[in-house]
Amino acid sequence: MHLVRSGFETRLRRSSTLGLVAVAAASALLLAGCSSDPLAEQYREGNNKGYIAGDGTIAEFPAGERGEPIAFEGETIEGGTLDSVDLAGEVAVVNFWYAGCAPCRAEAPLLQQVHEEFDGNGASFVGVNVRDQAATAASFEQNYGITYPSIVDANDGAVQYAFAGDVPPAAVPTTLVLDAEGRVAARILGQLKDASILETIVRDVIAEQA
């Protein structure tokens, strides 16, 4: 941070001004080389812009130590209804997110990648948008090529309430893997850093049905 003081000598002010110009020019070059999503880039670089999220901690729960099946339902971004009953008998990945969340943006391509791998092969994906209205959430999905459904939960928080014991209110994103009975088998607090992590978890939970 540069501080300009009125008592500095003229030559120091000129030196400081030149330095600021040089920094501004360098910053412009860096920004020109950034990806199309600067907010996600800021998060990757450690500038969280006030977002609160988990630290990426992964917890897996053995079948004998899991809680009760979780029932939930809500209106999707497209205006339909999604009910956990529709997911019965299949592993489900539930991701809590919102459009302005930098780590949510950073992990979105990874979630879509894993979804495509398991779509029709033993696991379904469901997003739960915790802050946005449908139009904002739909724009996010279009920008990131997300093809699995998301529930708009901003108005009543019903889905968040259903998972209250598993998803800390401030930890967005959070990703849960539910077993075929609808019980939480694994939890990732914070950004998914590598698709292979979720792939392995999902594959292991699917294998339990064999």
Side-chain angles (χ1 to χ4, degrees):
M1 180 177 181
H2 295 274
L3 297 177
V4 179
R5 305 179 189 277
S6 59
F8 280 6
E9 296 180 2
T10 301
R11 65 177 182 275
L12 292 179
R13 288 202 303 269
R14 289 175 179 169
S15 175
S16 178
T17 300
L18 291 173
L20 286 171
V21 171
V23 170
S27 297
L29 289 174
L30 286 173
L31 288 172
C34 281
S35 71
S36 59
D37 191 346
L39 192 59
E41 285 299 319
Q42 288 169 358
Y43 178 77
R44 294 187 186 101
E45 293 165 4
N47 184 357
N48 295 349
K49 293 294 184 182
Y51 296 105
I52 301 173
D55 58 4
T57 300
I58 300 170
E60 297 183 79
F61 308 102
E65 299 177 13
R66 295 170 192 165
E68 295 297 316
I70 298 176
F72 63 94
E73 67 175 317
E75 184 174 328
T76 66
I77 291 171
E78 294 73 26
T81 300
L82 192 152
D83 193 310
S84 55
V85 172
D86 302 329
L87 307 174
E90 187 172 51
V91 171
V93 177
V94 183
N95 175 256
F96 291 78
W97 66 282
Y98 63 95
C101 160
C104 300
R105 295 184 179 200
E107 71 174 9
L110 301 181
L111 291 167
Q112 177 63 22
Q113 176 184 330
V114 182
H115 161 63
E116 291 175 3
E117 178 179 348
F118 289 100
D119 186 27
N121 292 301
S124 298
F125 274 59
V126 178
V128 180
N129 186 293
V130 301
R131 292 194 184 182
D132 305 316
Q133 295 303 311
T136 301
S139 178
F140 178 99
E141 290 190 336
Q142 182 176 5
N143 289 340
Y144 288 92
I146 303 300
T147 59
Y148 55 85
S150 276
I151 292 172
V152 178
D153 199 48
N155 296 325
D156 60 13
V159 180
Q160 296 169 75
Y161 181 76
F163 286 95
D166 300 287
V167 182
V172 177
T174 289
T175 302
L176 303 176
V177 179
L178 310 184
D179 64 17
E181 297 178 31
R183 305 176 301 169
V184 175
R187 177 181 62 198
I188 302 172
L189 290 179
Q191 180 195 346
L192 175 66
K193 300 294 180 65
D194 192 306
S196 64
I197 295 171
L198 185 56
E199 288 170 354
T200 299
I201 293 172
V202 171
R203 192 173 293 111
D204 288 348
V205 179
I206 291 176
E208 293 176 357
Q209 305 174 67

